[in-house]
């Protein structure tokens, strides 16, 4: 428990201990940890028949005892333990049921071979991915050899054989095809898309360069001397700022010749009494407020990747200061240009044909839910992003909090109305077609999307009715799914990349897809490591009347439009943007998602407690992003 708490700043022992099976070393019985107490063995006392009121530390050291440490008086006595606690200052462990049953942590031994159900650290996640990312040839061999044996699927194995059922030892062979990459267009220069569906920014200029003016630089010092600039006068800092400005200029942005204002913020030292570093965010707020004029955007130089400072900074600037911000690292010019209203790259004319035939809006929808260790009742976050320009590059977002763990979007009509309002403002018209890419819906919820979310989208459209005409655009909804176990292994080397994965643009719509419905698997991206996973696209409603080739080609082309990278992405761009917006929303509820509520714990339950958590979340959310500077931008990139 102590090791977990000290492994990273802000780690809470209760998140580790809750639900863990233990064996008591003094009596040998097994229990499940309900929670950690807020007091320790020296602080907690209870009544005994022989010694009167004693602390837990004293109880184990010198008194007879009963089977449990509860708040009830002892009813019978057992032999003495004579145990001197070595860690009496650790919180007591509650292993009781309806009644509390407190034990010292050092007398509880964790039983082996239990899965850890909490949130992994970034380092642990990276290690897990490294181990799990096996090349396709290794995965294929494991499936057809060891996998069939361990599942008992070899021919003749009972009980399948008794029913005349057998499972083949070879993988199913299905037809597929490879879609060509779309042409990528910049204002100056034509990039060459390689066999990994990626390209670089060498000798090209953004399709539409934004203006970088009235900007500032915030240097955050956090006691990490090796990775920090000495101060705002450090020559290396000046070179870094000039390098950023030159990078933006060379990429096609218009950079103001006036040097940015540079300010420094020294963060207070880490304090375990402030696990989410509220004091650090207050210091940053004071520093930004001290600027004489409000900048259009701030370049933030962080000395480390502290998630608490990062989330707090995003929440502060988005919801309270209405101020765009950038963290300095590779490809920062891509983000800067988009956040300031520019366009990084576009599709060539041939691949824009369908999109430009009629006014069309592309929408991405996603919902993210509280994870392990969150305060019970923490709301889910819904995001709707939508195109608003003829380049299909800018996707501003609407975000809302809603009932916890609810997948369907509660306020979808309002959010789509906001997106249509901006589309009308920017394009001077309303869309005749709306193509929705909906992420994060399981197969069992497809019809709920049609029954609940489609009417909500139509309801939003009715708000644009006029006495002369009703606004009824054609709507198509495509569900995007990546949580599946389907993998494709090319049968011929010529159709595989150098790692043995399918080539980018591989599409499969027969053999492993629905017999009666419109769905397909598409791998638009090139795999970086391991075995690539295609995205499953499933059309649940289609007013537009897409042909298979038409929708597959469009989805593949739009996957190359992701503004934050110079490559195709695995999830079609509007759905990917919705996912990023949801992740940004998590920064605003960082405290609750870390399991820290107003009462300091995460074990509260009951409808009243959940209502209180929702009220706390609403207050923390602070209206989301409502300021005029950011609300119509891609602030979430």
């Amino acid at each position: 428990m102590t090791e977990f708490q000290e492994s990273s700043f802000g780690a809470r022992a209760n998140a580790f201990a809750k639900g863990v099976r233990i064996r008591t070393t003094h009596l040998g019985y097994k229990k499940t940890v309900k929670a950690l107490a807020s007091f320790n063995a020296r602080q907690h006392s209870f009544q005994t028949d022989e010694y009167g009121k004693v602390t837990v530390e004293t109880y184990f050291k010198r008194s007879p005892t009963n089977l449990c440490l509860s708040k009830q008086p002892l009813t019978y006595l057992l032999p003495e333990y004579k145990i001197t606690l070595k860690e009496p200052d650790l919180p007591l462990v509650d292993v009781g049921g309806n009644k509390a049953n407190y034990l010292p942590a050092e007398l509880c031994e964790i039983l082996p071979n239990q899965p850890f159900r909490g949130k992994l650290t970034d380092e642990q996640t990276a290690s897990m991915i490294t181990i799990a990312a096996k090349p396709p040839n290794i995965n294929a061999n494991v499936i057809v050899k060891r996998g069939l044996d361990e599942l008992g699927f070899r021919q003749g194995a009972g009980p399948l054989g008794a029913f005349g059922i057998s499972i083949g030892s070879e993988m199913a062979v299905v037809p597929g095809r490879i879609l060509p990459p779309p042409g990528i267009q910049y204002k100056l220069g034509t990039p060459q898309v390689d066999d990994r569906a990626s390209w670089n920014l060498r000798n090209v200029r953004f399709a539409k360069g934004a203006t970088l003016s009235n900007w500032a630089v915030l240097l955050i010092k956090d006691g990490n001397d090796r990775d920090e600039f000495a101060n705002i006068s450090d020559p290396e800092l000046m070179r870094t700022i000039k390098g950023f400005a030159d990078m933006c200029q060379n990429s096609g942005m218009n950079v103001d010749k006036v040097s940015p204002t540079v300010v420094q913020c020294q963060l207070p030292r880490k304090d375990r009494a402030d696990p989410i570093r509220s004091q650090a965010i207050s210091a940053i707020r004071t520093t930004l407020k001290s600027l004489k004029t409000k900048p259009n955007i701030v370049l933030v130089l962080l000395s480390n990747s502290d998630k608490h400072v990062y989330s707090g900074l995003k929440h502060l600037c988005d919801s309270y200061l209405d101020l765009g911000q950038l963290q300095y690292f590779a490809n920062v010019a891509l983000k800067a240009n988009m956040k300031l209203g520019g366009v990084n790259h576009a599709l060539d004319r041939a691949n824009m044909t369908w999109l430009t035939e009629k006014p069309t809006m592309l929408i991405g929808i996603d919902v993210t839910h509280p994870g392990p260790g969150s305060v019970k009742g923490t709301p889910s976050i819904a995001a709707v992003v939508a195109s608003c320009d003829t380049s299909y590059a800018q996707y501003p977002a609407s975000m809302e909090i809603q009932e916890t763990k609810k997948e369907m979007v509660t306020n979808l009509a309002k959010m789509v109305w906001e997106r249509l309002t901006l589309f009308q403002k920017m394009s001077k018209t309303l869309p005749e077609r709306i193509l929705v890419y909906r992420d994060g819906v399981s197969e069992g919820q497809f019809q709920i999307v049609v029954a609940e979310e489609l009417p909500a989208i139509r309801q939003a459209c009715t708000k644009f009715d006029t006495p002369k005409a009703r606004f009824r655009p054609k709507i198509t909804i495509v569900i995007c799914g990546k949580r599946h176990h389907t993998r494709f292994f090319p049968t011929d080397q010529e159709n595989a990349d150098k790692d043995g994965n399918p080539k980018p643009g591989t599409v499969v719509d027969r053999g492993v897809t629905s017999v009666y419905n419109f769905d397909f698997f598409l791998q638009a991206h090139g795999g970086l490591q391991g075995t690539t996973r295609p995205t499953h696209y499933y059309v649940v409603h289609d007013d537009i009347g897409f042909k298979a080739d038409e929708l597959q080609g469009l989805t593949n082309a739009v996957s190359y439009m992701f503004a934050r990278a110079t490559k195709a992405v695995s999830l079609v761009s509007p759905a990917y943007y919705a996912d990023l917006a949801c992740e940004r929303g998590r920064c605003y509820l960082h405290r609750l998602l870390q399991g820290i509520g107003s009462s300091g714990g995460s074990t509260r339950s009951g409808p009243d407690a959940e209502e209180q958590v929702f009220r706390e979340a609403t207050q923390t959310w602070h209206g989301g992003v409502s300021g005029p500077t950011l609300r119509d931008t891609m602030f979430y990139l």
Side-chain angles (χ1 to χ4, degrees):
M1 191 168 75
T2 303
E3 184 181 353
F4 175 83
Q5 198 163 7
E6 293 177 351
S7 62
S8 63
F9 178 78
R12 296 178 304 106
N14 194 53
F16 167 76
K18 187 179 177 183
V20 169
R21 293 281 294 168
I22 58 97
R23 178 191 293 109
T24 61
T25 56
H26 64 301
L27 290 176
Y29 59 78
K30 298 176 183 178
K31 289 283 186 178
T32 299
V33 176
K34 181 176 158 186
L36 293 187
S38 58
F39 39 80
N40 59 40
R42 284 179 173 162
Q43 296 167 332
H44 182 54
S45 59
F46 57 97
Q47 194 69 33
T48 67
D49 291 341
E50 187 173 350
Y51 296 106
K53 196 169 187 179
V54 294
T55 65
V56 174
E57 182 182 23
T58 305
Y59 174 80
F60 274 96
K61 188 173 183 179
R62 49 178 291 198
S63 74
T65 184
N66 70 342
L67 282 171
C68 71
L69 302 180
S70 71
K71 294 183 179 179
Q72 306 300 318
L74 293 179
T75 55
Y76 59 92
L77 304 176
L78 288 176
E80 298 180 0
Y81 288 125
K82 296 182 180 178
I83 297 174
T84 300
L85 298 180
K86 297 176 182 177
E87 302 283 351
D89 294 323
L90 284 178
L92 292 175
V93 178
D94 183 3
V95 297
N98 294 329
K99 293 182 179 180
N101 181 359
Y102 297 116
L103 292 173
E106 62 190 86
L107 300 185
C108 301
E109 184 181 72
I110 297 174
L111 294 174
N113 301 322
Q114 296 182 68
F116 175 62
R117 303 188 186 279
K119 183 176 175 59
L120 300 179
T121 64
D122 293 341
E123 294 78 12
Q124 290 167 337
T125 301
S127 298
M128 180 270 293
I129 291 174
T130 302
I131 294 171
K134 303 295 184 187
N137 61 324
I138 293 178
N139 276 339
N141 283 329
V142 169
I143 291 169
V144 298
K145 293 178 181 177
R146 180 182 160 198
L148 291 177
D149 289 330
E150 294 198 359
L151 291 172
F153 284 169
R154 290 292 180 194
Q155 286 189 359
L160 296 179
F163 291 90
I165 299 173
S166 61
I167 295 176
S169 59
E170 300 293 330
M171 289 189 182
V173 178
V174 297
R177 57 201 176 94
I178 300 174
L179 302 178
I184 305 300
Q185 198 170 58
Y186 284 85
K187 184 177 182 179
L188 178 67
T190 302
Q192 295 299 313
V193 179
D194 63 21
D195 56 3
R196 297 256 178 175
S198 66
W199 63 98
N200 59 54
L201 290 174
R202 246 183 254 118
N203 303 319
V204 300
R205 285 179 171 256
F206 292 143
K208 177 185 173 185
T211 299
L212 180 64
S213 61
N214 183 29
W215 58 295
V217 177
L218 172 63
L219 173 63
I220 294 180
K221 293 180 68 65
D222 195 19
N224 188 19
D225 294 332
R226 287 186 304 171
D227 298 330
E228 289 182 347
F229 299 105
N231 51 52
I232 59 175
S233 301
D234 191 330
E236 188 61 35
L237 173 61
M238 296 300 109
R239 282 192 288 272
T240 299
I241 295 172
K242 185 179 184 303
F244 167 70
D246 290 345
M247 179 170 56
C248 291
Q249 182 84 48
N250 295 335
S251 299
M253 294 180 66
N254 305 305
V255 181
D256 197 336
K257 295 188 182 301
V258 178
S259 298
T261 303
V262 183
V263 291
Q264 176 178 315
C265 179
Q266 178 67 57
L267 301 186
R269 296 186 65 177
K270 293 180 178 180
D271 180 1
R272 292 201 176 274
D274 179 22
I276 60 170
R277 304 205 67 185
S278 304
Q279 295 176 20
I281 304 306
S282 295
I284 294 172
R285 180 174 192 159
T286 301
T287 302
L288 291 174
K289 283 280 193 179
S290 70
L291 293 170
K292 293 181 179 178
T293 58
K294 180 182 174 183
N296 294 333
I297 197 164
V298 176
L299 175 66
V300 182
L301 301 173
L302 294 165
S303 64
N304 56 51
S305 56
D306 189 312
K307 63 182 179 182
H308 306 294
V309 173
Y310 178 88
S311 295
L313 175 65
K314 294 294 185 186
H315 189 201
L316 170 67
C317 292
D318 289 354
S319 296
Y320 290 86
L321 302 181
D322 189 28
L323 179 62
Q325 72 285 166
L326 296 161
Q327 275 67 54
Y328 186 81
F329 51 85
N331 290 338
V332 70
L334 296 172
K335 289 187 173 187
N337 193 52
M338 295 302 295
K339 289 189 177 193
L340 292 170
V343 175
N344 289 353
H345 61 271
L347 298 175
D348 63 9
R349 185 174 298 178
N351 285 280
M352 288 289 285
T353 302
W354 187 88
L355 289 170
T356 54
E357 280 177 352
K358 299 175 182 178
T360 303
M361 174 188 268
L362 301 183
I363 291 180
I365 303 175
D366 194 15
V367 178
T368 186
H369 305 291
S374 303
V375 174
K376 187 175 176 61
T378 298
S380 294
I381 300 167
V384 176
V385 306
S387 61
C388 62
D389 61 349
T390 54
S391 298
Y392 295 89
Q394 286 287 330
Y395 288 80
S398 296
M399 298 190 304
E400 300 263 352
I401 56 173
Q402 62 182 40
E403 303 91 322
T404 184
K405 303 292 178 71
K406 180 184 177 185
E407 183 55 50
M408 297 302 114
V409 182
T410 300
N411 292 328
L412 183 58
K414 171 178 174 284
M415 298 164 83
V416 172
W417 171 80
E418 291 173 351
R419 296 302 100 221
L420 285 167
T421 300
L422 183 62
F423 185 98
Q424 186 179 42
K425 176 183 175 183
M426 301 295 290
S427 301
K428 311 303 180 188
T429 186
L430 285 167
E432 295 181 26
R433 305 177 296 194
I434 297 177
L435 173 55
V436 179
Y437 286 103
R438 176 66 162 95
D439 191 18
V441 177
S442 64
E443 199 166 332
Q445 297 173 312
F446 284 0
Q447 288 310 308
I448 302 178
V449 171
V450 177
E452 294 183 13
E453 295 191 345
L454 176 59
I457 296 172
R458 286 177 171 159
Q459 181 187 346
C461 295
T462 62
K463 296 187 181 298
F464 294 88
D465 288 350
T466 65
K468 293 183 179 180
R470 299 192 309 166
F471 175 52
R472 299 293 183 272
K474 293 181 178 180
I475 300 170
T476 292
I477 301 178
V478 183
I479 308 291
C480 317
K482 293 199 71 179
R483 294 181 182 177
H484 58 76
H485 299 289
T486 304
R487 302 291 184 275
F488 296 113
F489 303 92
T491 54
D492 301 318
Q493 185 59 42
E494 63 184 28
N495 295 321
D497 66 13
K498 64 180 184 180
D499 295 325
N501 283 306
K503 287 184 176 180
T506 297
V507 63
V508 175
D509 58 6
R510 285 181 287 174
V512 289
T513 52
S514 174
V515 176
Y516 301 107
N517 298 312
F518 184 0
D519 68 320
F520 58 92
F521 289 92
L522 170 65
Q523 181 205 306
H525 68 299
L528 297 177
Q529 63 176 345
T531 303
T532 54
R533 174 167 47 185
T535 301
H536 188 200
Y537 294 97
Y538 203 110
V539 181
V540 294
H541 181 81
D542 185 21
D543 286 340
I544 296 174
F546 275 108
K547 295 177 181 177
D549 288 353
E550 203 171 42
L551 181 59
Q552 291 166 7
L554 176 65
T555 302
N556 184 57
V558 175
S559 298
Y560 282 74
M561 288 294 293
F562 187 64
R564 213 167 73 168
T566 53
K567 62 181 179 180
V569 287
S570 60
L571 181 64
V572 68
S573 298
Y576 205 139
Y577 289 142
D579 178 73
L580 290 180
C582 283
E583 284 302 309
R584 176 58 71 89
R586 295 178 73 88
C587 294
Y588 310 164
L589 301 182
H590 181 68
R591 182 183 181 88
L592 292 171
L593 291 169
Q594 292 298 308
I596 304 169
S598 56
S599 67
S602 59
T603 58
R604 295 178 292 176
S605 59
D608 291 342
E610 293 199 10
E611 284 180 20
Q612 182 184 341
V613 171
F614 196 91
R615 286 194 297 271
E616 184 180 345
T618 303
Q619 184 178 359
T620 304
W621 186 256
H622 197 253
V625 181
S626 55
T629 305
L630 294 186
R631 66 186 175 203
D632 293 336
T633 70
M634 297 180 74
F635 62 89
Y636 54 84
L637 281 182

